[in-house]
Amino acid sequence: MTLRSVLAGTGAALPRTRVSNEELAQRVDTSDEWIVERTGIRFRHIAEPDETTGTLGAAAARQALEAAGLEAADIGLIIVATATPDNTFPATATKVQAMLGAPDCIAFDVAAVCSGFLYAVSVADSMLRTGAAKHALVIGSETFSRILDWEDRATCVLFGDGAGAVVLSAEDVDDDRGILATRLHAEGQYCDMLYVDGGPSTTGTVGHVRMQGREVFRHAVTNLASVLGEVLADTGLSAADVDWVVPHQANRRIIDATAKKLGLPAERVVLTVDQHANTSAASVPLALDLAVRDGRIKRGDLVVLEAMGGGFTWGAAVLRV
Ligand code: ACO
């Protein structure tokens, strides 16, 4: 028997308001054609004032708990991956804990931007396997619309809001179910290529997203293909063994180029970027939840998760569902 972190349930939450490229083009100098051709994005959800990273995260968490057949009181660890917390402090994870009515447990946030969910999954996996908790809620939740410069058409068309969540449970398994490997990376020398130009300790403001798009694109394809190779090698498996890839949904062209580099057929890649745009730390769990709920990802499938974002940070995980 081996103690592993097993996927017990998934959930998702999207803001009520959905905005199409055409609607966006009425207030930003852009077009549906430009956005679709360069990114594959058609829609994004934008949070209303009463919808926050915390409320969206809690809604996704409730769904994941229900799917896992658990109550909030069963949870011993809550990690929220976000770059857009409700407040500078306390951690949004503690606000989610309060909204769920979960009693005393471990709760904290992880900041690794678009790779945040992969970082959070890896930390939760380590903590579950060393006995810190029996059940963990790992949530990626973002309201990126609050940190977009709506005058900067090169960035504001790319992002959306939303949340995704998983319950991971520590289980003694006698097969290869659960998280089989995770890999994380960061190269801080690239921190000026994708960043927010504000913060409590620098400007005292929230700031706006700034990006060197072409450089991000180039690094994303190289780093994602390489980390997928590493994490599969860790498990002794190959691209041919993978049933589903659930990539970070930044850009259709990055996803296609990465899959091609690894020889992964497009029909095994879960795509939501057309519907959700880039929801940063929420994108992987949102896509995972969709593919679990529509029956594509089934028990026994080998699933690979990957993401890259500001820092640069990037990571990947392999799990048997
Ligand atoms: N609508 C219309 N035209 C636009 C827009 C827009 N929204 N944005 C930029 N343009 C124009 C530019 O002004 C420029 O015009 P010019 O040639 O007259 O000067 C032209 O389009 C080309 O601009 P580039 O920035 O060079 O366009 P590029 O082909 O590099 O595409 C894009 C931009 C889509 C951002 C691309 O670089 C990219 O996908 N990068 C990856 C970035 C990404 O996905 N970031 C997400 C966060 S990181 C992550 O999650 C991995």
Side-chain angles (χ1 to χ4, degrees), residues 247-260 269 271 273:
H248 172 46
Q249 310 282 326
N251 183 310
R252 172 90 201 235
R253 290 187 302 150
I254 295 176
I255 294 171
D256 288 348
T258 308
K260 199 171 162 202
V269 180
L271 267 186
V273 67

Side-chain angles (χ1 to χ4, degrees), residues 30-82:
T30 189
S31 65
D32 176 54
E33 194 190 2
W34 192 95
I35 301 172
V36 172
E37 191 188 309
R38 307 279 174 131
T39 70
I41 296 165
R42 293 179 188 277
F43 299 95
R44 74 282 296 139
H45 290 251
I46 301 289
E48 297 290 340
D50 65 318
E51 294 171 313
T52 71
T53 294
T55 66
L56 293 167
R62 281 188 201 99
Q63 273 196 4
L65 282 171
E66 195 184 335
L70 294 172
E71 307 284 332
D74 298 319
I75 296 298
L77 168 65
I78 302 173
I79 308 181
V80 174
T82 190

Side-chain angles (χ1 to χ4, degrees), residues 77-150:
L77 168 65
I78 302 173
I79 308 181
V80 174
T82 190
T84 49
D86 282 11
N87 303 82
T88 303
F89 79 83
T92 303
T94 61
K95 298 188 80 171
V96 169
Q97 177 193 14
M99 287 181 221
L100 296 176
D104 181 9
C105 68
I106 306 166
F108 60 93
D109 290 358
V110 160
V113 209
C114 300
S115 325
F117 184 73
L118 268 301
Y119 268 72
V121 161
S122 181
V123 171
D125 175 43
S126 300
M127 292 182 73
L128 288 171
R129 286 187 294 108
T130 50
K134 164 84 178 133
H135 303 288
L137 258 174
V138 185
I139 302 162
S141 186
E142 301 277 18
T143 43
F144 248 60
S145 61
R146 314 272 212 253
I147 55 166
L148 294 175
D149 175 355
W150 291 97

Side-chain angles (χ1 to χ4, degrees), residues 181-307:
T182 64
R183 280 274 189 148
L184 302 175
H185 290 278
E187 280 190 354
Q189 79 251 37
Y190 299 113
C191 61
D192 291 340
M193 290 196 175
L194 175 56
Y195 67 104
V196 165
D197 61 3
S201 182
T202 49
T203 58
T205 62
V206 171
H208 293 116
V209 175
R210 304 294 172 210
M211 179 177 72
Q212 295 180 34
R214 287 200 175 178
E215 285 303 307
V216 174
F217 192 102
R218 196 169 60 80
H219 283 271
V221 176
T222 307
N223 290 341
L224 290 171
S226 121
V227 76
L228 283 171
E230 285 169 17
V231 82
L232 281 170
D234 288 345
T235 61
L237 297 163
S238 72
D241 298 308
V242 175
D243 293 300
W244 292 103
V245 183
V246 184
H248 172 46
Q249 310 282 326
N251 183 310
R252 172 90 201 235
R253 290 187 302 150
I254 295 176
I255 294 171
D256 288 348
T258 308
K260 199 171 162 202
K261 232 175 162 176
L262 282 165
L264 286 158
E267 56 273 18
R268 282 196 268 144
V269 180
V270 178
L271 267 186
T272 56
V273 67
D274 56 332
Q275 299 298 313
H276 301 162
N278 182 349
T279 57
S280 183
S283 90
V284 169
L286 264 170
L288 179 64
D289 177 69
L290 186 84
V292 166
R293 280 176 197 270
D294 70 18
R296 273 179 288 174
I297 295 180
K298 295 179 294 297
R299 177 106 183 225
D301 281 353
L302 190 77
V303 178
V304 176
L305 315 177
E306 49 97 323

